[in-house]
Each structure stands twice: as C-alpha cells, then as structure tokens.
Amino acid sequence: MQTRFDIIVVGAGMAGASLAARLGGKASVLVIEAEEHPGYHATGRSAAFWTESYGGPRVQPLTAASGAELRALGVLAPRSALTLGRTGEQADVERFARVYGDLGVEVHVLDRAGIAARVPGLRGGWASGVLEPSTCDIDVATLHQHYLAAARREGVEIRCRAGLRRATRSAQGWLLALADGTEVTCDVLANAAGAWADPVARLAGARPLGIAPYRRTVAQLAVGRPVPGDLPLVLDVGETFYFKPEHGRLWLSPHDETPSVACDAAPEEIDVALAIDRLENVVDWPVERVEHRWAGLRSFAPDRLPVYGFDPADPAFFWFAGQGGFGIQTAPAAAVLGAALLLGEKGGDVDPAPYVPDRFVTV
C-alpha cells in the first residue's frame, strides 16, 4: 500500500472528488474520507439545482463557468426558477433582476398574471417575480460518481473509513495518522472537509477561518393536487422558502440556516412545520403527508464566499472549503481553479482573488 503522496485531500464529497479528479495524472493524490462511503453528508443530501442567482453575485462567475461542463456531462435537466415578491417588495424584485441582468444572466420580470400562470393556486399577496429560464436540476449522484471515477482513472487513491486523526508538520512535509490505523505522508494537505474544515485546520495547526456549518432542512410532500412537472423552482426574494417538483412529489425547504456543530445532521420537526406553513402561504395546495425529511450542513466562511488557496501562514496547507449551498453547481469551475492554484498553473476564466484565504489576514 502506497504511503507517500504529493497531495492528500481531506474529504470525498463533491468538493474533494472534483478537486482530486482535476489533480489526478498531474500529481500523486490520496483522498481520505471519514465515512463508509463518499458523499454521505452535504453532497448526498442536496436538492441541487443550477441557477446563477443562487449564492449571490460574487458566486455567479463560478456558477456560470460550470455550466458548460455540467451540460456536457448530461447531469442538467431544464427547470427554470421563479423568485417571487410580495406586495410591497417590487423594489427588491427589480433590484434582484437588475443585479443579475447586469452580470449577463437571462432574467424576466413578471407581474402578478405572469407568476400566477406558472404557479397554479398562487395565493393573494404575491405581486411580481423574476424568471430565470436557464435554471436546471442537477443529477448530484451522477455528477459525484463521475468525479470519483475520473479521479480513480487518473490514479487517485480514495480511502474511506480513514478520517484524519493527527497531522504533524515538518520540513519534510506532513505525517498523517488515519482512523484506519495507517500513517501516510505528503507534501501538501488539501482541506476539502466541508463542515469539518475548521476542525481539520486545528488538527493541522492552522488557524481556523471561521467556516461555520448551518443546518438546512428539506421535506418531500404528497399534496392533494397534481404537482406540475414543469413547475419552476419557486423561491422568494426574502429567502424564506423554496420548493420544486420531484417525480410527482414536492421538495420543500424553509430556507433555514440554523447554526450547528459539524455532525450527522437530522431534521427538526419545527423546521418541517415551518416549511409547510410557509408553503401554505404561497399556494392553496393541501398537504396530505410528509413522506420523507432530511437535513444537511451548509458551511460558510464569514463573508459567505468559498475559500480556495494556500493558507497565508503555511504554504503546505490548502483550503478548498466554505462552499455553502452552492458547492454542487460550482463544482466544475471550482475544481479547475483549485487544481490550478495547487499546481501553480493557470486555470479557467474565473478570477481567484475574491476566494483566497489571504482575505482573512488581519494586519
């Protein structure tokens, strides 16, 4: 069994898998994963979609740059997104459309008739909205498996049940003790640990950046009327809910962000009830039953932008974390950018400057 590598990536979720796939063939790479299978946490619990307004205008370049690869891989299915505004929120709706329109996103401002035509049973009080025709659903499992398979084809080793237990830094590199009882060494340690990004940094003696996990809840509902298959992803400009159709059912979230420790997240009944209450204020669809509920952790840096780059205090510790809820839709461009930074190459068309960890250095 090989014990020496150029780069060891911590985490085999979408972030670690996509990064490893880009590094494979250019460096010897090991991916270590604490769970029995890759993608157990955030990746495996995502109700993912590709929409350029999600994550904010400073994340949009990563989303836009990822679209071509996602389409080429066949993991996108047309959906469209409709961001609703209540009476009195017209200025917010127009501002939303202007911000993303200025970035080149196709957006259409709709009046009450326009949104009601796309959301059957829309209740009163909803006056306008912004339609994004380019929004798509993402087949997350297929995308994740693509990156894992691509990494393996390029010689990347992936070890599960091998969480990081100890990291010792010396002039010769890193010595890592893993949960499977083995020890491995490498030149560079890449932190793609999601909700565990700051704990991994502490193990490695790096200063945590304040990457905090937040719980997000999703419920699958059976409702007392047919759910249109062409229903858009429906959100609101105040970010208090979203819902979308899924095989005749409805996936619904209260758009919650509840602070959490890094853990195996579980849904809370109060969050499911809150989601249903918010849905009932949008449409007159009777909820017959909750068929399934789950929760995952979305991890944000203090400024809510991802963190890609070498630690300012240790050129052998690399951050690839803080992807929030947009890590799936930005995975292709982020991986290109991250691999280029790790290897000292030019990568893609996205400017890395907004995402480097140096931004957290205080003078």
Side-chain angles (χ1 to χ4, degrees):
M1 179 183 294
Q2 184 176 347
T3 60
R4 176 71 191 179
F5 299 87
D6 297 324
I7 301 168
I8 293 180
V9 178
V10 183
M14 191 68 77
S18 59
L19 181 63
R22 290 292 178 183
L23 294 170
K26 298 181 178 180
S28 59
V29 180
L30 169 67
V31 179
I32 57 174
E33 169 57 50
E35 302 296 343
E36 187 172 355
H37 302 290
Y40 176 77
H41 291 286
T43 297
R45 307 177 194 194
S46 174
F49 34 81
W50 183 90
T51 184
E52 291 188 68
S53 63
Y54 204 68
R58 293 187 294 173
V59 171
Q60 186 271 342
L62 289 164
T63 305
S66 296
E69 181 171 321
L70 293 173
R71 284 187 286 271
L73 291 172
V75 297
L76 296 184
R79 169 62 54 203
S80 82
L82 181 57
T83 300
L84 303 178
R86 295 174 174 84
T87 302
E89 293 181 325
Q90 182 67 31
D92 295 328
V93 168
E94 292 176 354
R95 186 181 307 110
F96 180 97
R98 184 170 59 254
V99 166
Y100 292 101
D102 288 348
L103 290 171
V105 181
E106 182 183 356
V107 292
H108 304 281
V109 177
L110 304 180
D111 60 11
R112 165 74 192 187
I115 61 176
R118 290 166 173 81
V119 184
L122 185 69
R123 292 191 184 276
W126 299 96
S128 60
V130 178
L131 182 70
E132 294 176 66
S134 62
T135 293
C136 294
D137 294 333
I138 303 177
D139 184 339
V140 179
T142 296
L143 180 63
H144 189 218
Q145 289 303 314
H146 161 76
Y147 284 130
L148 292 170
R152 290 187 176 108
R153 284 196 303 271
E154 294 296 337
V156 173
E157 184 178 344
I158 301 171
R159 296 186 196 172
C160 294
R161 299 180 296 277
L164 181 63
R165 291 291 178 266
R166 188 177 66 254
T168 306
R169 179 87 158 84
S170 72
Q172 286 71 47
W174 293 97
L175 172 63
L176 308 182
L178 307 182
D180 62 3
T182 63
E183 291 188 342
V184 289
T185 61
C186 64
D187 296 322
V188 175
L189 184 61
N191 182 3
W196 285 262
D198 269 9
V200 164
R202 290 189 189 96
L203 276 177
R207 183 178 69 86
L209 299 182
I211 295 177
Y214 296 87
R215 190 177 69 241
R216 170 60 53 87
T217 306
V218 181
Q220 178 175 299
L221 309 179
V223 297
R225 63 174 296 163
V227 178
D230 60 353
L231 182 76
L233 165 68
V234 181
L235 315 91
D236 73 314
V237 74
E239 298 186 345
T240 63
F241 65 82
Y242 62 79
F243 56 88
K244 57 177 276 193
E246 188 72 19
H247 303 298
R249 297 297 192 256
L250 195 71
W251 280 11
L252 167 70
S253 173
H255 217 292
D256 49 330
E257 288 188 0
T258 305
S260 173
V261 297
C263 66
D264 186 355
E268 299 284 347
E269 289 297 331
I270 185 63
D271 294 323
V272 176
L274 178 64
I276 293 172
D277 179 70
R278 290 176 177 175
L279 174 71
E280 291 174 339
N281 281 283
V282 181
V283 290
D284 62 357
W285 302 353
V287 175
E288 295 184 337
R289 62 187 177 277
V290 178
E291 296 184 328
H292 184 43
R293 68 201 78 195
W294 65 97
L297 297 180
R298 300 147 44 91
S299 303
F300 289 97
D303 61 1
R304 300 182 69 85
L305 292 180
V307 185
Y308 305 138
F310 287 101
D311 188 89
D314 189 344
F317 188 82
F318 188 85
W319 291 89
F320 197 70
Q323 291 95 338
F326 42 82
I328 309 295
Q329 69 175 34
T330 60
V336 168
L337 180 59
L341 292 170
L342 267 166
L343 299 171
E345 300 175 349
K346 184 184 185 307
D349 299 320
V350 178
D351 180 7
Y355 316 119
V356 294
D358 304 55
R359 68 188 192 267
F360 297 110
V361 173
T362 55
V363 179

